[in-house]
PDB file of all heavy atoms in Angstrom:
ATOM      1  N   ALA A1432      -9.213   3.798   8.575  1.00 79.00           N
ATOM      2  CA  ALA A1432      -8.190   4.295   9.494  1.00 79.00           C
ATOM      3  C   ALA A1432      -6.792   4.130   8.887  1.00 79.00           C
ATOM      4  O   ALA A1432      -5.948   5.025   8.989  1.00 79.00           O
ATOM      5  CB  ALA A1432      -8.279   3.568  10.831  1.00 79.00           C
ATOM      6  N   ILE A1433      -6.568   2.989   8.245  1.00 77.00           N
ATOM      7  CA  ILE A1433      -5.271   2.732   7.607  1.00 77.00           C
ATOM      8  C   ILE A1433      -5.026   3.731   6.484  1.00 77.00           C
ATOM      9  O   ILE A1433      -3.927   4.280   6.344  1.00 77.00           O
ATOM     10  CB  ILE A1433      -5.224   1.287   7.066  1.00 77.00           C
ATOM     11  CG1 ILE A1433      -5.248   0.290   8.225  1.00 77.00           C
ATOM     12  CG2 ILE A1433      -3.978   1.066   6.212  1.00 77.00           C
ATOM     13  CD1 ILE A1433      -5.455  -1.152   7.800  1.00 77.00           C
ATOM     14  N   ALA A1434      -6.063   4.005   5.690  1.00 80.00           N
ATOM     15  CA  ALA A1434      -5.931   4.935   4.558  1.00 80.00           C
ATOM     16  C   ALA A1434      -5.589   6.341   5.028  1.00 80.00           C
ATOM     17  O   ALA A1434      -4.920   7.096   4.313  1.00 80.00           O
ATOM     18  CB  ALA A1434      -7.231   4.956   3.752  1.00 80.00           C
ATOM     19  N   GLN A1435      -6.021   6.706   6.222  1.00 80.00           N
ATOM     20  CA  GLN A1435      -5.760   8.055   6.714  1.00 80.00           C
ATOM     21  C   GLN A1435      -4.411   8.176   7.410  1.00 80.00           C
ATOM     22  O   GLN A1435      -3.807   9.244   7.417  1.00 80.00           O
ATOM     23  CB  GLN A1435      -6.882   8.500   7.654  1.00 80.00           C
ATOM     24  CG  GLN A1435      -8.192   8.749   6.926  1.00 80.00           C
ATOM     25  CD  GLN A1435      -9.259   9.339   7.826  1.00 80.00           C
ATOM     26  OE1 GLN A1435      -9.055   9.506   9.023  1.00 80.00           O
ATOM     27  NE2 GLN A1435     -10.394   9.654   7.255  1.00 80.00           N
ATOM     28  N   VAL A1436      -3.931   7.075   7.990  1.00 81.00           N
ATOM     29  CA  VAL A1436      -2.681   7.162   8.750  1.00 81.00           C
ATOM     30  C   VAL A1436      -1.455   6.862   7.877  1.00 81.00           C
ATOM     31  O   VAL A1436      -0.357   7.366   8.145  1.00 81.00           O
ATOM     32  CB  VAL A1436      -2.721   6.222   9.977  1.00 81.00           C
ATOM     33  CG1 VAL A1436      -2.464   4.780   9.604  1.00 81.00           C
ATOM     34  CG2 VAL A1436      -1.742   6.694  11.041  1.00 81.00           C
ATOM     35  N   LEU A1437      -1.624   6.079   6.805  1.00 80.00           N
ATOM     36  CA  LEU A1437      -0.479   5.724   5.963  1.00 80.00           C
ATOM     37  C   LEU A1437       0.220   6.934   5.334  1.00 80.00           C
ATOM     38  O   LEU A1437       1.461   6.989   5.337  1.00 80.00           O
ATOM     39  CB  LEU A1437      -0.905   4.744   4.865  1.00 80.00           C
ATOM     40  CG  LEU A1437      -0.846   3.259   5.240  1.00 80.00           C
ATOM     41  CD1 LEU A1437      -1.314   2.398   4.073  1.00 80.00           C
ATOM     42  CD2 LEU A1437       0.559   2.858   5.662  1.00 80.00           C
ATOM     43  N   PRO A1438      -0.509   7.908   4.772  1.00 81.00           N
ATOM     44  CA  PRO A1438       0.201   9.059   4.193  1.00 81.00           C
ATOM     45  C   PRO A1438       1.122   9.743   5.197  1.00 81.00           C
ATOM     46  O   PRO A1438       2.243  10.118   4.857  1.00 81.00           O
ATOM     47  CB  PRO A1438      -0.951   9.980   3.755  1.00 81.00           C
ATOM     48  CG  PRO A1438      -2.088   9.054   3.486  1.00 81.00           C
ATOM     49  CD  PRO A1438      -1.958   7.986   4.541  1.00 81.00           C
ATOM     50  N   ALA A1439       0.657   9.902   6.421  1.00 79.00           N
ATOM     51  CA  ALA A1439       1.488  10.543   7.449  1.00 79.00           C
ATOM     52  C   ALA A1439       2.728   9.712   7.753  1.00 79.00           C
ATOM     53  O   ALA A1439       3.820  10.256   7.970  1.00 79.00           O
ATOM     54  CB  ALA A1439       0.670  10.763   8.724  1.00 79.00           C
ATOM     55  N   LEU A1440       2.586   8.397   7.748  1.00 77.00           N
ATOM     56  CA  LEU A1440       3.712   7.520   8.060  1.00 77.00           C
ATOM     57  C   LEU A1440       4.796   7.557   6.985  1.00 77.00           C
ATOM     58  O   LEU A1440       5.961   7.293   7.264  1.00 77.00           O
ATOM     59  CB  LEU A1440       3.227   6.079   8.269  1.00 77.00           C
ATOM     60  CG  LEU A1440       2.398   5.837   9.534  1.00 77.00           C
ATOM     61  CD1 LEU A1440       1.895   4.399   9.570  1.00 77.00           C
ATOM     62  CD2 LEU A1440       3.215   6.143  10.783  1.00 77.00           C
ATOM     63  N   VAL A1441       4.405   7.868   5.754  1.00 76.00           N
ATOM     64  CA  VAL A1441       5.406   7.954   4.676  1.00 76.00           C
ATOM     65  C   VAL A1441       5.795   9.399   4.383  1.00 76.00           C
ATOM     66  O   VAL A1441       6.401   9.697   3.365  1.00 76.00           O
ATOM     67  CB  VAL A1441       4.910   7.251   3.391  1.00 76.00           C
ATOM     68  CG1 VAL A1441       4.702   5.777   3.623  1.00 76.00           C
ATOM     69  CG2 VAL A1441       3.645   7.899   2.849  1.00 76.00           C
ATOM     70  N   GLY A1442       5.399  10.310   5.284  1.00 75.00           N
ATOM     71  CA  GLY A1442       5.810  11.703   5.144  1.00 75.00           C
ATOM     72  C   GLY A1442       5.051  12.476   4.103  1.00 75.00           C
ATOM     73  O   GLY A1442       5.560  13.461   3.553  1.00 75.00           O
ATOM     74  N   ARG A1443       3.850  12.064   3.805  1.00 74.00           N
ATOM     75  CA  ARG A1443       3.010  12.757   2.815  1.00 74.00           C
ATOM     76  C   ARG A1443       1.684  13.133   3.459  1.00 74.00           C
ATOM     77  O   ARG A1443       1.393  12.777   4.592  1.00 74.00           O
ATOM     78  CB  ARG A1443       2.738  11.846   1.609  1.00 74.00           C
ATOM     79  CG  ARG A1443       3.965  11.364   0.854  1.00 74.00           C
ATOM     80  CD  ARG A1443       4.603  12.501   0.070  1.00 74.00           C
ATOM     81  NE  ARG A1443       5.681  12.013  -0.776  1.00 74.00           N
ATOM     82  CZ  ARG A1443       5.522  11.652  -2.053  1.00 74.00           C
ATOM     83  NH1 ARG A1443       4.327  11.667  -2.603  1.00 74.00           N
ATOM     84  NH2 ARG A1443       6.565  11.254  -2.756  1.00 74.00           N
ATOM     85  N   SER A1444       0.866  13.829   2.702  1.00 74.00           N
ATOM     86  CA  SER A1444      -0.509  14.089   3.109  1.00 74.00           C
ATOM     87  C   SER A1444      -1.372  13.992   1.866  1.00 74.00           C
ATOM     88  O   SER A1444      -0.863  13.899   0.736  1.00 74.00           O
ATOM     89  CB  SER A1444      -0.655  15.479   3.746  1.00 74.00           C
ATOM     90  OG  SER A1444      -0.698  16.485   2.754  1.00 74.00           O
ATOM     91  N   TYR A1445      -2.678  14.028   2.039  1.00 72.00           N
ATOM     92  CA  TYR A1445      -3.575  13.983   0.883  1.00 72.00           C
ATOM     93  C   TYR A1445      -3.330  15.163  -0.058  1.00 72.00           C
ATOM     94  O   TYR A1445      -3.652  15.107  -1.239  1.00 72.00           O
ATOM     95  CB  TYR A1445      -5.031  13.973   1.343  1.00 72.00           C
ATOM     96  CG  TYR A1445      -5.496  12.647   1.918  1.00 72.00           C
ATOM     97  CD1 TYR A1445      -6.538  12.596   2.841  1.00 72.00           C
ATOM     98  CD2 TYR A1445      -4.903  11.449   1.552  1.00 72.00           C
ATOM     99  CE1 TYR A1445      -6.968  11.385   3.374  1.00 72.00           C
ATOM    100  CE2 TYR A1445      -5.317  10.238   2.079  1.00 72.00           C
ATOM    101  CZ  TYR A1445      -6.355  10.217   2.989  1.00 72.00           C
ATOM    102  OH  TYR A1445      -6.780   9.022   3.512  1.00 72.00           O
ATOM    103  N   LEU A1446      -2.757  16.246   0.458  1.00 70.00           N
ATOM    104  CA  LEU A1446      -2.461  17.414  -0.382  1.00 70.00           C
ATOM    105  C   LEU A1446      -1.431  17.083  -1.457  1.00 70.00           C
ATOM    106  O   LEU A1446      -1.388  17.722  -2.505  1.00 70.00           O
ATOM    107  CB  LEU A1446      -1.946  18.570   0.485  1.00 70.00           C
ATOM    108  CG  LEU A1446      -2.932  19.138   1.508  1.00 70.00           C
ATOM    109  CD1 LEU A1446      -2.245  20.198   2.357  1.00 70.00           C
ATOM    110  CD2 LEU A1446      -4.148  19.720   0.814  1.00 70.00           C
ATOM    111  N   ASP A1447      -0.583  16.069  -1.196  1.00 72.00           N
ATOM    112  CA  ASP A1447       0.457  15.705  -2.159  1.00 72.00           C
ATOM    113  C   ASP A1447      -0.097  15.013  -3.399  1.00 72.00           C
ATOM    114  O   ASP A1447       0.611  14.856  -4.388  1.00 72.00           O
ATOM    115  CB  ASP A1447       1.489  14.789  -1.487  1.00 72.00           C
ATOM    116  CG  ASP A1447       2.293  15.519  -0.431  1.00 72.00           C
ATOM    117  OD1 ASP A1447       2.862  16.575  -0.753  1.00 72.00           O
ATOM    118  OD2 ASP A1447       2.323  15.045   0.721  1.00 72.00           O
ATOM    119  N   VAL A1448      -1.353  14.592  -3.333  1.00 70.00           N
ATOM    120  CA  VAL A1448      -1.950  13.901  -4.480  1.00 70.00           C
ATOM    121  C   VAL A1448      -1.917  14.775  -5.726  1.00 70.00           C
ATOM    122  O   VAL A1448      -1.693  14.304  -6.843  1.00 70.00           O
ATOM    123  CB  VAL A1448      -3.409  13.486  -4.152  1.00 70.00           C
ATOM    124  CG1 VAL A1448      -4.107  12.960  -5.397  1.00 70.00           C
ATOM    125  CG2 VAL A1448      -3.406  12.428  -3.059  1.00 70.00           C
ATOM    126  N   ALA A1449      -2.109  16.080  -5.549  1.00 72.00           N
ATOM    127  CA  ALA A1449      -2.142  17.001  -6.697  1.00 72.00           C
ATOM    128  C   ALA A1449      -0.811  17.037  -7.436  1.00 72.00           C
ATOM    129  O   ALA A1449      -0.773  17.325  -8.636  1.00 72.00           O
ATOM    130  CB  ALA A1449      -2.519  18.401  -6.224  1.00 72.00           C
ATOM    131  N   GLY A1450       0.277  16.728  -6.758  1.00 70.00           N
ATOM    132  CA  GLY A1450       1.586  16.802  -7.398  1.00 70.00           C
ATOM    133  C   GLY A1450       2.190  15.456  -7.755  1.00 70.00           C
ATOM    134  O   GLY A1450       3.369  15.381  -8.079  1.00 70.00           O
ATOM    135  N   LEU A1451       1.401  14.377  -7.694  1.00 65.00           N
ATOM    136  CA  LEU A1451       1.939  13.058  -8.008  1.00 65.00           C
ATOM    137  C   LEU A1451       2.275  12.929  -9.487  1.00 65.00           C
ATOM    138  O   LEU A1451       1.542  13.414 -10.347  1.00 65.00           O
ATOM    139  CB  LEU A1451       0.936  11.972  -7.622  1.00 65.00           C
ATOM    140  CG  LEU A1451       0.777  11.686  -6.123  1.00 65.00           C
ATOM    141  CD1 LEU A1451      -0.283  10.618  -5.924  1.00 65.00           C
ATOM    142  CD2 LEU A1451       2.098  11.231  -5.527  1.00 65.00           C
ATOM    143  N   ASP A1452       3.383  12.263  -9.785  1.00 68.00           N
ATOM    144  CA  ASP A1452       3.780  12.004 -11.163  1.00 68.00           C
ATOM    145  C   ASP A1452       3.321  10.593 -11.519  1.00 68.00           C
ATOM    146  O   ASP A1452       4.014   9.614 -11.268  1.00 68.00           O
ATOM    147  CB  ASP A1452       5.299  12.139 -11.313  1.00 68.00           C
ATOM    148  CG  ASP A1452       5.767  11.914 -12.750  1.00 68.00           C
ATOM    149  OD1 ASP A1452       4.888  11.763 -13.636  1.00 68.00           O
ATOM    150  OD2 ASP A1452       6.983  11.900 -12.972  1.00 68.00           O
ATOM    151  N   CYS A1453       2.119  10.495 -12.090  1.00 64.00           N
ATOM    152  CA  CYS A1453       1.559   9.182 -12.399  1.00 64.00           C
ATOM    153  C   CYS A1453       2.354   8.456 -13.472  1.00 64.00           C
ATOM    154  O   CYS A1453       2.382   7.225 -13.507  1.00 64.00           O
ATOM    155  CB  CYS A1453       0.101   9.317 -12.833  1.00 64.00           C
ATOM    156  SG  CYS A1453      -0.965   9.945 -11.515  1.00 64.00           S
ATOM    157  N   ALA A1454       3.019   9.210 -14.361  1.00 64.00           N
ATOM    158  CA  ALA A1454       3.793   8.574 -15.431  1.00 64.00           C
ATOM    159  C   ALA A1454       4.943   7.755 -14.863  1.00 64.00           C
ATOM    160  O   ALA A1454       5.358   6.752 -15.445  1.00 64.00           O
ATOM    161  CB  ALA A1454       4.334   9.637 -16.379  1.00 64.00           C
ATOM    162  N   ALA A1455       5.456   8.173 -13.714  1.00 57.00           N
ATOM    163  CA  ALA A1455       6.595   7.472 -13.117  1.00 57.00           C
ATOM    164  C   ALA A1455       6.212   6.103 -12.583  1.00 57.00           C
ATOM    165  O   ALA A1455       7.060   5.258 -12.359  1.00 57.00           O
ATOM    166  CB  ALA A1455       7.189   8.316 -11.997  1.00 57.00           C
ATOM    167  N   THR A1456       4.920   5.874 -12.390  1.00 52.00           N
ATOM    168  CA  THR A1456       4.497   4.592 -11.826  1.00 52.00           C
ATOM    169  C   THR A1456       3.711   3.751 -12.824  1.00 52.00           C
ATOM    170  O   THR A1456       3.191   2.711 -12.465  1.00 52.00           O
ATOM    171  CB  THR A1456       3.614   4.827 -10.581  1.00 52.00           C
ATOM    172  OG1 THR A1456       2.466   5.593 -10.961  1.00 52.00           O
ATOM    173  CG2 THR A1456       4.373   5.557  -9.499  1.00 52.00           C
ATOM    174  N   LYS A1457       3.658   4.170 -14.085  1.00 51.00           N
ATOM    175  CA  LYS A1457       2.827   3.447 -15.052  1.00 51.00           C
ATOM    176  C   LYS A1457       3.361   2.063 -15.361  1.00 51.00           C
ATOM    177  O   LYS A1457       2.626   1.197 -15.820  1.00 51.00           O
ATOM    178  CB  LYS A1457       2.679   4.259 -16.334  1.00 51.00           C
ATOM    179  CG  LYS A1457       3.961   4.396 -17.143  1.00 51.00           C
ATOM    180  CD  LYS A1457       3.721   5.203 -18.400  1.00 51.00           C
ATOM    181  CE  LYS A1457       4.994   5.317 -19.233  1.00 51.00           C
ATOM    182  NZ  LYS A1457       4.766   6.103 -20.453  1.00 51.00           N
ATOM    183  N   ASP A1458       4.658   1.840 -15.134  1.00 50.00           N
ATOM    184  CA  ASP A1458       5.235   0.530 -15.432  1.00 50.00           C
ATOM    185  C   ASP A1458       5.156  -0.431 -14.252  1.00 50.00           C
ATOM    186  O   ASP A1458       5.649  -1.547 -14.325  1.00 50.00           O
ATOM    187  CB  ASP A1458       6.706   0.680 -15.853  1.00 50.00           C
ATOM    188  CG  ASP A1458       6.846   1.407 -17.180  1.00 50.00           C
ATOM    189  OD1 ASP A1458       5.925   1.259 -18.018  1.00 50.00           O
ATOM    190  OD2 ASP A1458       7.844   2.120 -17.363  1.00 50.00           O
ATOM    191  N   MET A1459       4.548   0.018 -13.184  1.00 46.00           N
ATOM    192  CA  MET A1459       4.437  -0.844 -12.007  1.00 46.00           C
ATOM    193  C   MET A1459       3.440  -1.957 -12.298  1.00 46.00           C
ATOM    194  O   MET A1459       2.274  -1.721 -12.537  1.00 46.00           O
ATOM    195  CB  MET A1459       3.959  -0.030 -10.805  1.00 46.00           C
ATOM    196  CG  MET A1459       3.852  -0.842  -9.521  1.00 46.00           C
ATOM    197  SD  MET A1459       5.431  -1.420  -8.895  1.00 46.00           S
ATOM    198  CE  MET A1459       6.058   0.072  -8.144  1.00 46.00           C
ATOM    199  N   SER A1460       3.911  -3.186 -12.332  1.00 44.00           N
ATOM    200  CA  SER A1460       3.041  -4.325 -12.627  1.00 44.00           C
ATOM    201  C   SER A1460       2.759  -5.089 -11.345  1.00 44.00           C
ATOM    202  O   SER A1460       3.508  -4.987 -10.381  1.00 44.00           O
ATOM    203  CB  SER A1460       3.701  -5.247 -13.652  1.00 44.00           C
ATOM    204  OG  SER A1460       4.948  -5.694 -13.160  1.00 44.00           O
ATOM    205  N   PRO A1461       1.690  -5.860 -11.320  1.00 42.00           N
ATOM    206  CA  PRO A1461       1.332  -6.588 -10.098  1.00 42.00           C
ATOM    207  C   PRO A1461       2.442  -7.478  -9.563  1.00 42.00           C
ATOM    208  O   PRO A1461       2.572  -7.640  -8.355  1.00 42.00           O
ATOM    209  CB  PRO A1461       0.114  -7.417 -10.534  1.00 42.00           C
ATOM    210  CG  PRO A1461      -0.487  -6.652 -11.667  1.00 42.00           C
ATOM    211  CD  PRO A1461       0.686  -6.036 -12.381  1.00 42.00           C
ATOM    212  N   ASN A1462       3.257  -8.050 -10.472  1.00 42.00           N
ATOM    213  CA  ASN A1462       4.276  -8.968  -9.980  1.00 42.00           C
ATOM    214  C   ASN A1462       5.435  -8.239  -9.303  1.00 42.00           C
ATOM    215  O   ASN A1462       6.313  -8.867  -8.729  1.00 42.00           O
ATOM    216  CB  ASN A1462       4.806  -9.864 -11.109  1.00 42.00           C
ATOM    217  CG  ASN A1462       5.454  -9.059 -12.223  1.00 42.00           C
ATOM    218  OD1 ASN A1462       5.454  -7.835 -12.196  1.00 42.00           O
ATOM    219  ND2 ASN A1462       6.000  -9.758 -13.204  1.00 42.00           N
ATOM    220  N   ARG A1463       5.440  -6.904  -9.375  1.00 39.00           N
ATOM    221  CA  ARG A1463       6.482  -6.146  -8.691  1.00 39.00           C
ATOM    222  C   ARG A1463       6.025  -5.700  -7.303  1.00 39.00           C
ATOM    223  O   ARG A1463       6.798  -5.144  -6.545  1.00 39.00           O
ATOM    224  CB  ARG A1463       6.870  -4.917  -9.523  1.00 39.00           C
ATOM    225  CG  ARG A1463       7.584  -5.269 -10.828  1.00 39.00           C
ATOM    226  CD  ARG A1463       7.930  -4.009 -11.586  1.00 39.00           C
ATOM    227  NE  ARG A1463       8.841  -3.152 -10.823  1.00 39.00           N
ATOM    228  CZ  ARG A1463       9.164  -1.914 -11.213  1.00 39.00           C
ATOM    229  NH1 ARG A1463       8.640  -1.401 -12.307  1.00 39.00           N
ATOM    230  NH2 ARG A1463       9.988  -1.187 -10.477  1.00 39.00           N
ATOM    231  N   LEU A1464       4.754  -5.899  -7.037  1.00 36.00           N
ATOM    232  CA  LEU A1464       4.229  -5.524  -5.730  1.00 36.00           C
ATOM    233  C   LEU A1464       4.471  -6.647  -4.732  1.00 36.00           C
ATOM    234  O   LEU A1464       4.494  -7.811  -5.082  1.00 36.00           O
ATOM    235  CB  LEU A1464       2.721  -5.234  -5.830  1.00 36.00           C
ATOM    236  CG  LEU A1464       2.324  -4.090  -6.767  1.00 36.00           C
ATOM    237  CD1 LEU A1464       0.813  -4.016  -6.857  1.00 36.00           C
ATOM    238  CD2 LEU A1464       2.899  -2.766  -6.269  1.00 36.00           C
ATOM    239  N   LEU A1465       4.630  -6.286  -3.462  1.00 38.00           N
ATOM    240  CA  LEU A1465       4.825  -7.291  -2.425  1.00 38.00           C
ATOM    241  C   LEU A1465       3.540  -8.065  -2.215  1.00 38.00           C
ATOM    242  O   LEU A1465       2.462  -7.477  -2.137  1.00 38.00           O
ATOM    243  CB  LEU A1465       5.235  -6.618  -1.113  1.00 38.00           C
ATOM    244  CG  LEU A1465       6.633  -5.995  -1.088  1.00 38.00           C
ATOM    245  CD1 LEU A1465       6.835  -5.247   0.225  1.00 38.00           C
ATOM    246  CD2 LEU A1465       7.700  -7.051  -1.265  1.00 38.00           C
ATOM    247  N   PRO A1466       3.605  -9.381  -2.146  1.00 40.00           N
ATOM    248  CA  PRO A1466       2.388 -10.162  -1.918  1.00 40.00           C
ATOM    249  C   PRO A1466       1.881  -9.968  -0.498  1.00 40.00           C
ATOM    250  O   PRO A1466       2.655  -9.736   0.423  1.00 40.00           O
ATOM    251  CB  PRO A1466       2.858 -11.612  -2.131  1.00 40.00           C
ATOM    252  CG  PRO A1466       4.316 -11.571  -1.782  1.00 40.00           C
ATOM    253  CD  PRO A1466       4.811 -10.215  -2.229  1.00 40.00           C
ATOM    254  N   LEU A1467       0.581 -10.035  -0.366  1.00 37.00           N
ATOM    255  CA  LEU A1467      -0.011  -9.944   0.962  1.00 37.00           C
ATOM    256  C   LEU A1467       0.187 -11.269   1.678  1.00 37.00           C
ATOM    257  O   LEU A1467      -0.041 -12.331   1.123  1.00 37.00           O
ATOM    258  CB  LEU A1467      -1.511  -9.629   0.864  1.00 37.00           C
ATOM    259  CG  LEU A1467      -1.860  -8.240   0.323  1.00 37.00           C
ATOM    260  CD1 LEU A1467      -3.360  -8.136   0.138  1.00 37.00           C
ATOM    261  CD2 LEU A1467      -1.358  -7.153   1.250  1.00 37.00           C
ATOM    262  N   SER A1468       0.618 -11.214   2.918  1.00 33.00           N
ATOM    263  CA  SER A1468       0.808 -12.437   3.685  1.00 33.00           C
ATOM    264  C   SER A1468      -0.524 -12.891   4.253  1.00 33.00           C
ATOM    265  O   SER A1468      -1.256 -12.090   4.827  1.00 33.00           O
ATOM    266  CB  SER A1468       1.784 -12.182   4.838  1.00 33.00           C
ATOM    267  OG  SER A1468       3.024 -11.784   4.331  1.00 33.00           O
ATOM    268  N   PRO A1469      -0.866 -14.137   4.061  1.00 31.00           N
ATOM    269  CA  PRO A1469      -2.118 -14.621   4.637  1.00 31.00           C
ATOM    270  C   PRO A1469      -2.045 -14.626   6.147  1.00 31.00           C
ATOM    271  O   PRO A1469      -0.986 -14.820   6.727  1.00 31.00           O
ATOM    272  CB  PRO A1469      -2.236 -16.046   4.082  1.00 31.00           C
ATOM    273  CG  PRO A1469      -0.829 -16.449   3.806  1.00 31.00           C
ATOM    274  CD  PRO A1469      -0.106 -15.193   3.382  1.00 31.00           C
ATOM    275  N   VAL A1470      -3.168 -14.378   6.772  1.00 31.00           N
ATOM    276  CA  VAL A1470      -3.223 -14.421   8.232  1.00 31.00           C
ATOM    277  C   VAL A1470      -3.389 -15.866   8.655  1.00 31.00           C
ATOM    278  O   VAL A1470      -4.345 -16.524   8.273  1.00 31.00           O
ATOM    279  CB  VAL A1470      -4.398 -13.568   8.760  1.00 31.00           C
ATOM    280  CG1 VAL A1470      -4.483 -13.673  10.279  1.00 31.00           C
ATOM    281  CG2 VAL A1470      -4.234 -12.129   8.330  1.00 31.00           C
ATOM    282  N   LEU A1471      -2.441 -16.346   9.411  1.00 33.00           N
ATOM    283  CA  LEU A1471      -2.491 -17.732   9.847  1.00 33.00           C
ATOM    284  C   LEU A1471      -3.483 -17.878  10.980  1.00 33.00           C
ATOM    285  O   LEU A1471      -3.422 -17.148  11.966  1.00 33.00           O
ATOM    286  CB  LEU A1471      -1.094 -18.183  10.295  1.00 33.00           C
ATOM    287  CG  LEU A1471      -0.008 -18.132   9.216  1.00 33.00           C
ATOM    288  CD1 LEU A1471       1.329 -18.537   9.808  1.00 33.00           C
ATOM    289  CD2 LEU A1471      -0.370 -19.036   8.046  1.00 33.00           C
ATOM    290  N   GLY A1472      -4.395 -18.791  10.843  1.00 40.00           N
ATOM    291  CA  GLY A1472      -5.383 -19.025  11.876  1.00 40.00           C
ATOM    292  C   GLY A1472      -5.006 -20.212  12.737  1.00 40.00           C
ATOM    293  O   GLY A1472      -3.996 -20.872  12.516  1.00 40.00           O
ATOM    294  N   THR A1473      -5.836 -20.484  13.719  1.00 48.00           N
ATOM    295  CA  THR A1473      -5.595 -21.634  14.597  1.00 48.00           C
ATOM    296  C   THR A1473      -6.797 -22.559  14.493  1.00 48.00           C
ATOM    297  O   THR A1473      -7.407 -22.919  15.488  1.00 48.00           O
ATOM    298  CB  THR A1473      -5.401 -21.176  16.050  1.00 48.00           C
ATOM    299  OG1 THR A1473      -6.535 -20.387  16.438  1.00 48.00           O
ATOM    300  CG2 THR A1473      -4.140 -20.356  16.197  1.00 48.00           C
ATOM    301  N   HIS A1474      -7.147 -22.906  13.251  1.00 53.00           N
ATOM    302  CA  HIS A1474      -8.324 -23.736  13.023  1.00 53.00           C
ATOM    303  C   HIS A1474      -8.168 -25.091  13.712  1.00 53.00           C
ATOM    304  O   HIS A1474      -7.111 -25.707  13.672  1.00 53.00           O
ATOM    305  CB  HIS A1474      -8.529 -23.947  11.515  1.00 53.00           C
ATOM    306  CG  HIS A1474      -8.707 -22.657  10.766  1.00 53.00           C
ATOM    307  ND1 HIS A1474      -9.807 -21.860  10.937  1.00 53.00           N
ATOM    308  CD2 HIS A1474      -7.922 -22.030   9.872  1.00 53.00           C
ATOM    309  CE1 HIS A1474      -9.690 -20.796  10.157  1.00 53.00           C
ATOM    310  NE2 HIS A1474      -8.550 -20.871   9.511  1.00 53.00           N
ATOM    311  N   GLY A1475      -9.237 -25.509  14.351  1.00 59.00           N
ATOM    312  CA  GLY A1475      -9.218 -26.797  15.003  1.00 59.00           C
ATOM    313  C   GLY A1475      -8.683 -26.772  16.421  1.00 59.00           C
ATOM    314  O   GLY A1475      -8.769 -27.761  17.131  1.00 59.00           O
ATOM    315  N   VAL A1476      -8.123 -25.649  16.828  1.00 65.00           N
ATOM    316  CA  VAL A1476      -7.596 -25.543  18.191  1.00 65.00           C
ATOM    317  C   VAL A1476      -8.622 -24.796  19.039  1.00 65.00           C
ATOM    318  O   VAL A1476      -8.886 -23.627  18.798  1.00 65.00           O
ATOM    319  CB  VAL A1476      -6.248 -24.792  18.216  1.00 65.00           C
ATOM    320  CG1 VAL A1476      -5.736 -24.667  19.641  1.00 65.00           C
ATOM    321  CG2 VAL A1476      -5.234 -25.496  17.326  1.00 65.00           C
ATOM    322  N   PRO A1477      -9.223 -25.461  20.005  1.00 75.00           N
ATOM    323  CA  PRO A1477     -10.247 -24.794  20.833  1.00 75.00           C
ATOM    324  C   PRO A1477      -9.626 -23.695  21.684  1.00 75.00           C
ATOM    325  O   PRO A1477      -8.520 -23.839  22.206  1.00 75.00           O
ATOM    326  CB  PRO A1477     -10.792 -25.929  21.703  1.00 75.00           C
ATOM    327  CG  PRO A1477      -9.696 -26.940  21.745  1.00 75.00           C
ATOM    328  CD  PRO A1477      -8.992 -26.855  20.422  1.00 75.00           C
TER     329      PRO A1477
END
């Protein structure tokens, strides 16, 4: 569901995949990506 709704939220559609410039993103390294925030649980709390 997330994969299908995200393109619309950023103003794109799956049709835009054909025109993506992959060279523009080749330098994107993992340390430049935002880290995923862990989901905080309530362990031990009944």
Side-chain angles (χ1 to χ4, degrees):
I1433 293 170
Q1435 290 187 356
V1436 78
L1437 272 179
L1440 291 176
V1441 297
R1443 301 289 187 93
S1444 79
Y1445 285 154
L1446 296 176
D1447 292 307
V1448 171
L1451 286 178
D1452 182 6
C1453 296
T1456 59
K1457 68 180 181 180
D1458 293 329
M1459 182 67 78
S1460 58
N1462 61 356
R1463 292 180 61 188
L1464 299 175
L1465 291 174
L1467 293 174
S1468 299
V1470 177
L1471 299 177
T1473 55
H1474 301 293
V1476 179

